[in-house]
Amino acid sequence: MAPTRRRVLALSSALAAGTLLSGCLSSSGSPASDGSENDPGTLTGTEKSNPVSTDETAIETLARGNAEFGLTLLSSLAEEYPKENQFLSPLSASVVLAMTYAGARGETRDGMANALRFPYDGEPLHAAFGETAERLETTAERADTEEKQGTPFQLTTANAIWGQEDYPWREDFLTTLRTYYDAGLHVCDFEGHADDATETINAWVADRTDGKISNLLPKTTLDARTRLVLTNAIYFRATWASTFPEANTKRRPFTALDGTESKVPMMAQSDSFPYAAVDGHRLIALPYVGDEVEMVVLLPREGTFEEFAASLSADRLATLLGEMERTDGSISLPKFSLESSLDLGATLSDLGMSRAFSPTADFSGMADTEETGENLSIDSVLQKCVIDVDENGTEAAAATAVEVGVTSAPMNPFEITVNRPFLFLIRHEPTDTVLFLGRVVDAAAGRSE
């Protein structure tokens, strides 16, 4: 009897490049590759060529929409888990869902665009994502020339597609992902060797997250019903432009959202930083080496954290960021490590893309569904994220899986002590792209010290 359900997976993970285990093959029959020039399984014709002109306005508009999506997602998660720390990568989720969106049609496509805050459709949207990735890569290349000890700055991205052999994928869908996301198709035998494919894809994710995210796919995730896996990888590791002296780190009180007080390792330094105080809410930007990527810490006025976080939109964030001016002062900031495992399906459905999760979803742009007699719909959207912030800098990773099933005024000098719940984001300043976003309501949670 034929399977009643097949699955298409889209993965997004955050961190670096590496080698792969055997398990999936490229179209030429060689081991699946990441597209690097030293990989013998490299696919041909995968170079990005962005045939659509992408100007500064398009990049900034996409970044604003991505920030709005991320803040809305964070606010929705906070409503469900108000006393928990949260950390996510809106860019990681947006990229992999944009790749999935390329195969959506009709009301499914419209619902995804609204929920994900996509400002454009078709080629202009995908071209803006492709151009953003190229600018992030250029930033990394520039920062890499900085003469600092150790590894001062890493920011890499990668995409790939893992598809069931002999499945009727639409050529225009594959061309879109190859052209704008540099994602070549690697043929897999999910029907006969799902375990091998699982091992290969997990190895790909682990390699590109420097081991931070392993076994993203449990052994039972892929099986004979699996048809497609899309992967996006981002790795971020950066040294502060002005590091925190380790000698300054002391255990100091931090009052959690529930009112409990714990002593946490609190870093401290004095320097000149972009800073603003607006209506009692305080912001400070901590640049990384290269001065193009920064962590922005938002410390709401005491007693207003939940109200401030719930009302923060992309427009309001942009206004607050615009108020920052470089100012001499000091900052005390907790060292913190966060890990999040998020099931975003219900949240995304509530945000307006419920059609994509229903039996009436239309992903016919991915494959010839008339030939297969199958209808594709999203079953789940999962994301895992980790971040570690210390005196030297930041390392962060995220992995997102989209499962699609088949159904029949400033102070000068200032002093800011982040000793209560706060928000933070890591953004690429030239494009305003938010790479990572989080809220810390209990700095003592998740640390072993």
Side-chain angles (χ1 to χ4, degrees), residues 112-141:
M112 292 185 71
N114 291 333
L116 299 169
R117 309 301 195 264
F118 288 161
Y120 306 110
D121 191 19
E123 282 195 308
L125 174 72
H126 300 303
F129 271 110
E131 179 66 20
T132 296
E134 290 182 3
R135 295 190 184 193
L136 294 176
E137 182 178 346
T138 300
T139 287
E141 292 173 352

Side-chain angles (χ1 to χ4, degrees), residues 126-201:
H126 300 303
F129 271 110
E131 179 66 20
T132 296
E134 290 182 3
R135 295 190 184 193
L136 294 176
E137 182 178 346
T138 300
T139 287
E141 292 173 352
R142 282 197 292 264
D144 195 45
T145 63
E146 293 281 338
E147 294 186 3
K148 299 278 186 179
Q149 292 183 349
T151 304
F153 191 96
Q154 296 180 49
L155 178 56
T156 59
T157 65
N159 301 303
I161 318 169
W162 319 80
Q164 174 63 36
E165 61 183 354
D166 299 325
Y167 203 75
W169 305 113
R170 295 196 184 278
E171 186 56 38
D172 56 351
F173 172 68
L174 299 180
T175 298
T176 294
L177 301 195
R178 182 171 60 245
T179 301
Y180 298 108
Y181 301 92
D182 203 14
L185 176 65
H186 305 284
V187 177
C188 299
D189 181 10
F190 296 117
E191 292 183 329
H193 299 283
D195 288 345
D196 289 343
T198 300
E199 185 178 1
T200 296
I201 295 170

Side-chain angles (χ1 to χ4, degrees), residues 85 254 305 336 338 420-424 438-443:
N85 298 327
F254 184 95
F305 175 80
F336 63 91
L338 303 180
R420 59 180 187 269
F422 63 95
L423 302 171
F424 71 93
R439 52 182 262 144
V440 177
V441 297
D442 185 357

Side-chain angles (χ1 to χ4, degrees), residues 139 142-143 146 148 153 239-242 272 274 285-294 326 427-430:
T139 287
R142 282 197 292 264
E146 293 281 338
K148 299 278 186 179
F153 191 96
T239 300
W240 303 118
S242 175
S272 179
L286 304 175
Y288 297 100
V289 165
D291 291 322
E292 292 190 16
V293 179
E294 62 189 12
R326 186 164 286 277
R427 70 165 184 154
H428 180 240
E429 195 276 333

